[in-house]
Amino acid sequence: MRVLLVDDHPVVRAGLRALISGFDQITVAAEASHGAEALELLDAGLDVDVVVMDLQMPEMDGVRTTAEVSRRGGPPVLVLTTFDTQADVVAALRAGAVGYLLKDAPAPTLRQALIDTAQRRATLAPEVASAVVQQLHRPQPTLSAREIELLEALATGASNRELAATLFISQATVKTHLVHIYDKLGVTNRTAAIAAAREQRLI
């Protein structure tokens, strides 16, 4: 099995490389310090079975990168991060991540997660699984007509200033609406909000 490591911390990548290299029949084929670099490697023909993805990175974060890898029909993604909030978990899974593991996971757990992810079998850290269950048990979000209108404009790629001008409201009001929308959809950014809204057919 060949793995692509995507993490902006060189020390973390070095530690993961050393750990994964100790697993039988699993090797680290390449490393990337952010999402854009990972996509460049894959576009250049890098052949890997699993992408191990951090979430918080410069240039292009893990959620956006995972969504793009998935959209392009790339290799399955295993998110490996320190973030276990419900919003982070749901955003990553909605983007197409097959697995979600925390960086303090024991080595045998990581090895099995890599194997499962390569076979596109879902693997979730226990802490993460509970967040998913909580999300499933939440009632469907109810967005106001104004929030849906803003989301539709947001999906066109409009900036806050453009949204304010389109809806004849202040930029401060736009930000307030966005906070409420993110909270209702259980996401943390525009890309995830649009994806969630489309998935739930709100827009």
Side-chain angles (χ1 to χ4, degrees):
M1 183 193 306
R2 290 164 55 83
V3 175
L4 167 60
L5 292 180
V6 188
D7 196 298
D8 61 323
H9 294 102
V11 173
V12 173
R13 292 201 308 273
L16 285 173
R17 175 183 282 275
L19 181 62
I20 293 172
S21 297
F23 298 155
D24 290 340
Q25 298 183 325
I26 303 178
T27 60
V28 175
E31 300 177 15
S33 59
H34 53 75
E37 186 178 354
L39 292 176
E40 288 175 5
L41 289 170
L42 293 172
D43 286 345
L46 178 67
D47 181 24
V48 293
D49 302 290
V50 176
V51 178
V52 175
M53 185 83 66
D54 190 17
L55 285 186
Q56 300 294 332
M57 296 180 290
E59 300 285 338
M60 190 172 187
D61 65 30
V63 170
R64 289 174 56 209
T65 309
T66 297
E68 190 60 26
V69 170
S70 179
R71 187 187 71 80
R72 299 182 186 187
V77 173
L78 170 64
V79 169
L80 186 63
T81 182
T82 57
F83 300 93
D84 62 354
T85 66
Q86 186 179 100
D88 286 321
V89 175
V90 172
L93 295 179
R94 280 179 173 155
V98 174
Y100 197 112
L101 209 59
L102 301 182
K103 287 182 177 177
D104 60 358
T109 301
L110 174 58
R111 180 180 181 278
Q112 188 59 50
L114 289 169
I115 293 171
D116 289 342
T117 302
Q119 297 174 0
R120 296 189 182 274
R121 293 199 303 259
T123 177
L124 301 174
E127 305 91 332
V128 169
S130 64
V132 173
V133 170
Q134 289 175 24
Q135 175 68 16
L136 290 174
H137 288 164
R138 287 179 61 185
Q140 283 289 95
T142 301
L143 271 61
S144 68
R146 192 58 152 174
E147 288 168 344
I148 291 174
E149 187 179 8
L150 190 145
L151 264 173
E152 289 173 340
L154 193 67
T156 67
S159 66
N160 281 9
R161 177 176 294 180
E162 291 168 335
L163 290 172
T166 300
L167 301 178
F168 301 103
I169 56 179
S170 69
Q171 290 187 55
T173 302
V174 167
K175 291 178 181 178
T176 299
H177 279 314
L178 288 175
V179 168
H180 292 160
I181 289 170
Y182 294 169
D183 182 59
K184 289 180 179 181
L185 296 180
V187 299
T188 58
N189 58 62
R190 291 170 173 241
T191 303
I194 294 167
R198 283 174 173 163
E199 179 183 336
Q200 297 173 34
R201 299 188 178 182
L202 298 173
I203 59 173

